[in-house]
Amino acid sequence: MYLLEMENCSFAYEDTPIVRDISLRIRKGEVVSLLGESGAGKSTVFNMIAGLLVPQKGRILLKGQEITGQSGHVSYMLQKDLLLPFRTIEDNVILPLLLKHENRKEARQKAAPLFQEFGIAGTEKKYPGQLSGGMRQRAALLRTYLFAGEATLLDEPFSALDTLTRSDMHVWFLDMVKKLSMSVLLITHDIDEAILLSDRILILNERPATITAEIQITPGRDERDGFTLTESFLGYKKQILSSLGRGRG
Amino acid sequence: MKRKSASITGKLLPFAAVAGVLLVWQIVTGLGLIPKYLLPSPLDVGRAFVSDFPLLMEHARVTLIEAFLGLFCGIVVGFLIACLMDRFEPLYLAAYPLIILTQTIPTVAIAPLLVLWFGYEMMPKILLVILTTFFPITVSLLTGFRSADEDLIRLLTSMGAGRGQIFRIVKCPQALPHFFGSLRISVSYAIVAAVISEWLGGFGGLGVYMTRVKKSFSFDKMFAVIFLISAISLLLMKLVDILQKKCMPWEEKG
């Protein structure tokens, strides 16, 4: 059984078709990347799953239940951390719990052990303005996790960070996904990031956008140390580039 | 070290400038270059201030009560209007020009009318203060409410937040810096409006005191009350700054 399924979804903006007949499935604990150029329709797919856009055709299922056009089931995180500058990190993180009318004290207790797990222990009483970009993204992911940990959509979550921070975040992210057995749909235009972080990569191509290829990354996510420097990593990269129609590049 | 001494100089310079002006003033009037009945010397003003101090305080109390009551109501009115206009777009489009129109009416024209309609007691004074203070409050709060990030609102909505929760959690705190900016202006507006209103008719207040000393050509007392009004305005603005720091701790630590 799949955790999250998208069945033959199509979306058109006025008369212009944006995405056509997209199907994807994510198992529990799996990280799947949706890779495509900027403007290829990745965000449209993202918004449909998040329930912010309603597909004209097709449906979306979470644990077998239809959630097409309903927000609030799948949590998402963007390139912008969207933390509220006037709330402490702790109060930012528990926001989804407060919105569900949970008691503030209980919500804080629930979040407390996770600060350690997410590598942001000690930032509880600080304000977002006092934290680095990487730390803020960690806090944003913790908030996302507290909202609905099962299925998470990440839309280029690391692309605003500098290269060194980003590679630290990649290591951290792999660790988090494993520890919390999160199921993630990662949207990215960064080929290296997709290969490094995913179990599977779906290539979004053509206009209107549709999934043109699926690439399974065989080495397990535990064996990704130094993976980017191996022959097989390059092999995947070549395969993806040719799927994107950039074979000679 | 250098920077520290520079910042101290920066803080001292305005005081030095004021002292300089007072000194020149004292010299010019002390030497009799300008006759005393036209311009009293700063020392005369100081003496007048000390001798009339109890009376000044009594009048200041009246003015401050009017200004505070008016400012408080002005804030409440401004907040309510801003909330409604943020919530209902047609109201925003319809009422915004009307609100701007209220600001084009000269204070000196409306104040006598208010006296005519509501008498010589506090009521017309408070109304004039409300009229002059609600506008900056409304405009700044509206700007603040509307500056919220669309992506953030969408995210919270997807987390199940209702309109009221978004207003409370995002829009209100977001509007705070805007609000304090306008409050700083409004406190001095409130004092000035109250004084003008008293000037045009009343039984007490700094404006009434002003008209009395003007009629008796006591210019030293006139200047004393002007200084007092300036001092009160400055003090209140400082108070707003302190309040803002207390209400917005994230700014300081950011």
Side-chain angles (χ1 to χ4, degrees):
Chain A
M1 168 133 155
Y2 291 98
L3 182 73
L4 186 70
E5 293 170 89
M6 195 173 191
E7 288 180 351
N8 310 98
C9 286
S10 300
F11 184 84
Y13 183 70
E14 286 170 355
D15 285 333
T16 322
I18 310 285
V19 295
R20 178 171 55 85
D21 209 22
I22 290 198
S23 297
L24 58 87
R25 295 188 172 83
I26 300 169
R27 289 186 202 88
K28 176 122 190 71
E30 198 180 24
V31 179
V32 177
S33 282
L34 194 61
L35 186 69
E37 292 170 50
S38 304
K42 299 189 297 272
S43 295
T44 309
V45 175
F46 171 93
N47 283 327
M48 281 194 284
I49 300 176
L52 302 170
L53 282 179
V54 187
Q56 275 105 1
K57 232 186 78 208
R59 52 188 201 144
I60 295 152
L61 306 170
L62 179 70
K63 291 194 279 189
Q65 300 276 315
E66 179 154 359
I67 56 158
T68 319
Q70 297 173 20
S71 63
H73 295 284
V74 179
S75 56
Y76 67 90
M77 176 177 154
L78 306 179
Q79 183 180 332
K80 289 190 274 185
D81 57 62
L82 294 179
L83 295 171
L84 296 164
F86 35 80
R87 283 178 164 251
T88 59
I89 295 297
E90 180 176 51
D91 285 348
N92 261 294
V93 159
I94 62 169
L95 200 54
L97 302 177
L98 296 181
L99 290 174
K100 288 180 195 165
H101 301 289
E102 278 189 41
N103 172 295
R104 184 182 293 263
K105 205 175 150 202
E106 280 167 28
R108 281 183 176 169
Q109 274 166 3
K110 206 166 172 179
L114 288 165
F115 275 86
Q116 190 73 41
E117 294 255 32
F118 277 70
I120 46 173
T123 64
E124 289 88 339
K125 303 290 177 204
K126 290 192 174 165
Y127 290 101
Q130 297 169 279
L131 265 55
S132 68
M135 294 300 250
R136 284 208 294 270
Q137 284 306 74
R138 289 177 193 219
L141 187 66
L142 174 50
R143 177 179 62 182
T144 311
Y145 177 74
L146 275 173
F147 173 58
E150 288 183 298
T152 304
L153 295 176
L154 305 180
D155 191 354
E156 313 212 339
F158 309 126
S159 57
L161 303 169
D162 64 88
T163 323
L164 288 175
T165 311
R166 197 181 333 166
S167 74
D168 285 348
M169 292 293 280
H170 287 156
V171 175
W172 170 81
F173 176 74
L174 284 170
D175 186 41
M176 286 329 295
V177 174
K178 191 178 142 201
K179 263 201 277 191
L180 305 167
S181 68
M182 295 167 83
S183 315
V184 177
L185 179 67
L186 178 74
I187 291 174
T188 181
H189 59 244
D190 182 336
I191 298 175
D192 291 15
E193 182 173 273
I195 303 172
L196 181 64
L197 301 180
S198 340
D199 298 307
R200 265 188 302 138
I201 298 174
L202 305 172
I203 309 286
L204 203 62
N205 216 345
E206 296 180 1
R207 240 153 244 253
T210 194
I211 292 169
T212 53
E214 178 173 337
I215 294 152
Q216 189 85 35
I217 310 287
T218 14
R221 267 189 273 114
D222 317 356
E223 309 154 38
R224 300 284 166 98
D225 261 358
F227 180 45
T228 44
L229 303 172
T230 60
E231 198 73 35
S232 84
F233 186 90
L234 273 182
Y236 285 123
K237 199 163 174 173
K238 269 183 199 154
Q239 197 184 341
I240 291 168
L241 281 168
S242 78
S243 315
L244 286 167
R246 304 272 169 98
R248 273 147 285 141
Chain B
M1 198 62 208
K2 209 169 203 177
R3 185 173 296 169
K4 199 175 175 187
S5 68
S7 86
I8 289 171
T9 322
K11 274 176 190 160
L12 284 180
L13 267 178
F15 288 105
V18 171
V21 169
L22 287 177
L23 193 70
V24 171
W25 180 1
Q26 179 63 41
I27 291 169
V28 168
T29 47
L31 293 176
L33 296 177
I34 298 175
K36 268 205 172 163
Y37 61 87
L38 283 184
L39 185 68
S41 76
L43 283 176
D44 293 335
V45 173
R47 247 174 257 130
F49 184 81
V50 172
S51 70
D52 255 14
F53 187 75
L55 195 62
L56 276 171
M57 287 302 112
E58 178 55 32
H59 285 297
R61 197 180 63 87
V62 178
T63 304
L64 279 175
I65 290 173
E66 289 161 1
F68 272 124
L69 283 176
L71 183 60
F72 178 76
C73 296
I75 291 171
V76 172
V77 171
F79 181 76
L80 288 178
I81 293 178
C83 288
L84 287 173
M85 279 171 54
D86 181 60
R87 173 70 180 77
F88 303 105
E89 186 69 20
L91 189 71
Y92 173 79
L93 296 172
Y96 203 74
L98 212 66
I99 288 177
I100 291 183
L101 205 67
T102 65
Q103 294 310 298
T104 59
I105 305 169
T107 315
V108 281
I110 191 97
L113 282 176
L114 290 174
V115 172
L116 205 65
W117 294 335
F118 301 101
Y120 289 96
E121 300 293 338
M122 272 196 180
M123 190 62 172
K125 281 102 181 163
I126 292 172
L127 279 176
L128 193 73
V129 174
I130 295 175
L131 272 177
T132 46
T133 54
F134 89 95
F135 178 74
I137 302 275
T138 305
V139 172
S140 67
L141 280 176
L142 260 179
T143 315
F145 291 158
R146 287 172 166 245
S147 69
D149 188 336
E150 283 301 318
D151 282 331
L152 183 59
I153 292 179
R154 211 171 295 135
L155 177 71
L156 292 190
T157 310
S158 92
M159 287 178 174
R163 215 191 269 272
Q165 283 173 316
I166 285 176
F167 185 75
R168 190 167 48 80
I169 294 168
V170 184
K171 290 190 167 183
C172 272
Q174 198 117 344
L176 267 183
H178 300 266
F179 170 74
F180 278 110
S182 66
L183 188 62
R184 197 169 300 121
I185 301 171
S186 291
V187 288
S188 56
Y189 277 15
I191 300 287
V192 170
V195 169
I196 289 178
S197 187
E198 288 159 359
W199 206 338
L200 295 163
F203 303 118
L206 293 174
V208 171
Y209 176 88
M210 243 181 194
T211 49
R212 283 180 196 161
V213 296
K214 197 191 77 165
K215 276 178 192 146
S216 62
F217 296 100
S218 319
F219 286 163
D220 50 348
K221 290 179 182 173
M222 188 74 172
F223 275 99
V225 69
I226 290 172
F227 281 131
L228 179 62
I229 290 170
S230 295
I232 290 174
S233 294
L234 287 176
L235 215 67
L236 288 176
M237 282 193 225
K238 187 73 200 163
L239 212 66
V240 172
D241 282 344
I242 293 169
L243 200 66
Q244 177 171 17
K245 276 188 185 147
K246 277 264 181 290
C247 290
M248 299 168 52
W250 61 91
E251 287 280 290
E252 200 138 324
K253 294 179 184 170

